[in-house]
Amino acid sequence: MDLVQALLSGHRRALAQALTLVETGGPQARALLGALFAHTGRAHIIGVTGAPGAGKSTLVTALAAHWRRTGRTVGIIAVDPTSPFTRGALLGDRIRMQALSGDPGVFIRSMASRGRLGGIARATGDAVALLDAAGFDLVLIETVGAGQGEVEIAAAAHTTIVIEIPGAGDDIQAIKAGILEIADVLVVNKADRDGAEQTVRQLRAMLSLADLPVDGWTPPVLTAVAMRGEGIEAIATAAERHLAYLRESERLTRREQERAERELRLILQETALERVRAHVAPSDWEALIAQIVARALDPYTAANRLLERVLPQSGG
Amino acid sequence: MDLVQALLSGHRRALAQALTLVETGGPQARALLGALFAHTGRAHIIGVTGAPGAGKSTLVTALAAHWRRTGRTVGIIAVDPTSPFTRGALLGDRIRMQALSGDPGVFIRSMASRGRLGGIARATGDAVALLDAAGFDLVLIETVGAGQGEVEIAAAAHTTIVIEIPGAGDDIQAIKAGILEIADVLVVNKADRDGAEQTVRQLRAMLSLADLPVDGWTPPVLTAVAMRGEGIEAIATAAERHLAYLRESERLTRREQERAERELRLILQETALERVRAHVAPSDWEALIAQIVARALDPYTAANRLLERVLPQSGG
């Protein structure tokens, strides 16, 4: 049985193998994703983001356990873009495994790789596609907030849950402004701590100031104590309501169009670069780099010359 | 006088105009950067990163003022990748302007744009090239830490200064592990606060555990109270020593090669995509996207078909 068939039949080892393949990228990964593409588009893809220490792993684990109790299957991708060289995501993964291990309706994968051209966001989008094709009802993407990464990753999700904790200082306000614009559901976790109500009020105030569409979705601000499983069901329900809203308002179609266009552009870039490289001998490539370093040739002229060799200016 | 000549002659309005052009990207921006490329490679490029509230703006402003006193000119690029839609970088910019305004030896630019293909890291690299070509002795890139963005931006710098503050909790440790690997100089700012010495000790302990090259550079851990200008000179000196180390160890050359290769790849991707798009009528492009959304065509096959039209598989 080939990898595509094995993955579609629900073989976990095939899925794990496919995930490793797309983490690396390249022609083989693209062929696999191309073959699986027709089987994607079924899963509800949910991004969960928040600052370090906000309790993302715990909340994601509790959400997964909740959805499992309702009979739905859950794939989890834990992205750690803060760890470029070390595989920092592995520890959280192991802790989580203890809670969900042995359940064939859950699949967990940590990604800390940035080796891939196009970055972690690209690898994450492809991993989501694999879990989607493998038939998981929900795919949760967990990522650290406060950077460009999680905004790009949010773009791969239908629903983005942003986690805050009580008592985050004024310094956080600037970040919140950016984060709020990607949040579909806001959660104040560790709500048994002092200042939880104030944080809820602050977030609601910021939302009321934000320029939200009049007839659109107003992100609910919910509280949770994920460690004790409190508030989890309400978060799950809010996420489900958000997907229903996307469907009814036809925003789902628009998101799908935007995602398809972004994908196509990225794949075009990746493939074009590979083809150009296949035309250039390694020694020629190195000679070009040396000329650029010496400022004898600018990289724009170099790129044009390389493209002239394989890609005509007009016609086709 | 054209834009290239005006920028090389030190006209500030030409520089501002050129920066706007490269923030948007496209063929015009590439032509400008190509024409200026031979004039780059002189500036010492320094990245300054740290969590929100670490005092980056204040420290960058103090460093700039220090270098101005020694007669050197300073360009500053303040990157705010946390603010995708709002121009969040503008406030900090305005505060800083008060300290450095009116000095023709300083140029400050905020960037919050992500509109550009290739993202903020790409736009930042190009902005650095403009300030470098315009003759600034130092170019400081200020960016929020804790994500993928600042690591990519650090790749554009010769020297990366990472700012910590006393008393950051254990939750921060995971991030530090990633951040430490990009740090050439570590600064514990707000060192008049409780716990500063402990944070210094922690950072030194983490460095001693890190896998640093035996005969290489050991990042110094310095303290500062940037608000009062304390510790600034030592930081500036450490940055200068780091550049000298890069030169002597020939790591500068290696970095330049890596940067040139990354640049060339990105420019190739950008240019190839534009050329493909120029071959495809907008209605055909939209039809392709619709087919992808309907799962009637996968984006990998779509990309291959588009490339077949303009880029042969072999020969050239």
Side-chain angles (χ1 to χ4, degrees):
Chain A
M1 191 156 54
D2 76 346
L3 193 56
V4 171
Q5 276 313 313
L7 188 145
L8 292 174
S9 312
H11 286 53
R12 293 173 77 89
R13 275 191 56 193
L15 178 55
Q17 203 181 324
L19 283 163
T20 302
L21 195 63
V22 302
E23 244 184 319
T24 316
Q28 250 193 301
R30 285 200 299 276
L32 175 69
L33 289 160
L36 290 170
F37 186 76
H39 303 275
T40 61
R42 259 198 56 235
H44 182 188
I45 302 159
I46 301 174
V48 179
T49 189
K56 288 177 297 297
S57 294
T58 313
L59 193 110
V60 164
T61 304
L63 278 172
H66 167 83
W67 274 311
R68 287 300 296 133
R69 282 193 296 273
T70 67
R72 308 186 73 196
T73 56
V74 183
I76 299 172
I77 299 167
V79 184
D80 188 353
T82 62
S83 178
F85 311 105
T86 55
R87 298 212 140 239
L90 290 177
L91 177 65
D93 195 29
R94 238 171 275 148
I95 293 165
R96 199 189 345 243
M97 286 303 278
Q98 294 171 0
L100 300 170
S101 70
D103 179 349
V106 175
F107 192 97
I108 305 168
R109 177 72 165 218
S110 291
M111 301 182 77
S113 152
R114 301 174 193 238
R116 173 133 178 227
L117 195 73
I120 189 82
R122 182 108 183 71
T124 303
D126 289 346
V128 168
L130 293 185
L131 290 169
D132 186 353
F136 288 96
D137 297 317
L138 293 125
V139 178
L140 307 183
I141 313 166
E142 173 193 323
T143 183
V144 175
Q148 185 173 6
E150 94 284 1
V151 175
E152 280 173 13
I153 289 163
H158 297 117
T159 304
T160 299
I161 301 174
V162 173
I163 313 179
E164 299 285 344
I165 45 172
D170 289 336
D171 294 333
I172 309 298
Q173 299 299 331
I175 288 219
K176 274 186 189 152
I179 285 287
L180 277 190
E181 303 189 50
I182 61 163
D184 300 308
V185 177
L186 278 152
V187 175
V188 177
N189 192 27
K190 307 189 180 180
D192 51 348
R193 289 194 186 172
D194 285 348
E197 275 179 41
Q198 200 198 337
T199 303
V200 170
R201 271 200 307 275
Q202 276 177 354
L203 289 171
R204 289 204 175 122
M206 289 184 83
L207 281 173
S208 71
L209 292 172
D211 195 16
L212 297 169
V214 176
D215 59 347
W217 171 264
T218 305
V221 182
L222 306 170
T223 55
V225 186
M227 279 294 260
R228 299 203 299 258
E230 291 172 21
I232 299 304
E233 193 175 339
I235 298 166
T237 305
E240 288 161 15
R241 277 203 302 117
H242 181 254
L243 184 65
Y245 157 76
L246 289 180
R247 283 215 180 96
E248 284 156 22
S249 63
E250 293 190 353
R251 269 160 215 260
L252 196 61
T253 311
R254 217 184 312 153
R255 280 197 189 203
E256 291 277 319
Q257 280 164 348
E258 285 164 8
R259 198 181 316 176
E261 175 149 17
R262 195 172 50 241
E263 277 282 297
L264 183 57
R265 294 173 73 104
L266 284 167
I267 294 163
L268 272 171
Q269 288 189 306
E270 200 169 290
T271 314
L273 179 59
E274 270 174 27
R275 291 203 187 184
V276 169
R277 282 305 308 270
H279 278 264
V280 182
S283 58
D284 288 354
W285 180 262
E286 275 164 39
L288 274 178
I289 302 297
Q291 278 185 281
I292 293 169
V293 171
R295 262 75 182 174
L297 176 68
D298 72 82
Y300 303 90
T301 303
N304 279 328
R305 282 192 201 155
L306 287 173
L307 286 170
E308 292 314 326
R309 284 158 72 169
V310 291
L311 199 143
Q313 273 282 14
S314 61
Chain B
M1 190 157 52
D2 76 346
L3 193 56
V4 172
Q5 276 312 313
L7 187 145
L8 293 173
S9 312
H11 287 52
R12 293 173 77 89
R13 275 191 56 193
L15 178 54
Q17 203 183 324
L19 284 163
T20 303
L21 194 63
V22 302
E23 244 184 319
T24 316
Q28 250 195 302
R30 285 201 299 276
L32 175 69
L33 289 160
L36 289 170
F37 186 77
H39 303 275
T40 62
R42 259 198 56 236
H44 182 189
I45 302 159
I46 301 174
V48 179
T49 190
K56 287 178 298 298
S57 293
T58 313
L59 192 110
V60 164
T61 305
L63 277 172
H66 167 83
W67 273 312
R68 287 300 297 133
R69 282 193 296 273
T70 68
R72 307 186 75 195
T73 56
V74 183
I76 299 172
I77 299 167
V79 184
D80 189 353
T82 62
S83 178
F85 310 105
T86 54
R87 297 212 141 240
L90 291 177
L91 176 66
D93 194 29
R94 238 172 273 147
I95 293 165
R96 198 188 346 241
M97 286 304 278
Q98 293 170 0
L100 300 170
S101 70
D103 180 349
V106 175
F107 192 97
I108 305 168
R109 176 74 165 217
S110 291
M111 300 181 79
S113 152
R114 300 171 193 242
R116 172 129 179 231
L117 195 75
I120 190 83
R122 181 108 184 72
T124 303
D126 289 346
V128 167
L130 292 186
L131 290 169
D132 187 353
F136 288 95
D137 297 318
L138 294 125
V139 177
L140 307 183
I141 312 167
E142 174 194 324
T143 184
V144 174
Q148 185 175 7
E150 96 285 0
V151 174
E152 279 174 14
I153 290 162
H158 297 117
T159 304
T160 299
I161 301 174
V162 173
I163 313 179
E164 299 285 345
I165 46 172
D170 287 337
D171 295 331
I172 309 297
Q173 298 300 330
I175 288 219
K176 273 185 190 153
I179 286 286
L180 277 189
E181 301 190 52
I182 62 163
D184 301 308
V185 177
L186 278 151
V187 176
V188 177
N189 192 27
K190 308 190 181 179
D192 51 348
R193 290 193 185 172
D194 283 349
E197 274 179 43
Q198 201 198 335
T199 303
V200 168
R201 270 199 307 274
Q202 276 178 353
L203 289 171
R204 288 204 176 122
M206 290 185 82
L207 281 173
S208 72
L209 293 171
D211 195 17
L212 297 169
V214 177
D215 59 346
W217 171 263
T218 305
V221 182
L222 307 171
T223 56
V225 186
M227 279 294 261
R228 298 203 299 259
E230 290 172 24
I232 299 303
E233 192 174 340
I235 298 166
T237 305
E240 288 161 15
R241 277 202 303 116
H242 181 254
L243 183 65
Y245 157 76
L246 290 180
R247 283 217 180 94
E248 284 156 21
S249 64
E250 292 189 354
R251 270 158 213 260
L252 197 60
T253 311
R254 218 185 309 154
R255 281 197 187 202
E256 291 276 319
Q257 281 164 346
E258 285 164 8
R259 197 181 316 177
E261 176 148 16
R262 196 171 48 241
E263 277 281 297
L264 183 56
R265 294 173 74 104
L266 285 167
I267 294 162
L268 271 171
Q269 288 189 305
E270 200 170 291
T271 313
L273 179 59
E274 270 173 26
R275 291 201 188 186
V276 169
R277 282 304 309 271
H279 278 264
V280 182
S283 58
D284 288 355
W285 181 262
E286 275 163 39
L288 274 177
I289 301 297
Q291 279 185 280
I292 294 170
V293 170
R295 260 76 181 172
L297 176 68
D298 73 82
Y300 302 90
T301 303
N304 279 329
R305 283 194 201 152
L306 287 173
L307 285 170
E308 291 315 325
R309 284 157 72 168
V310 293
L311 197 142
Q313 274 282 15
S314 62

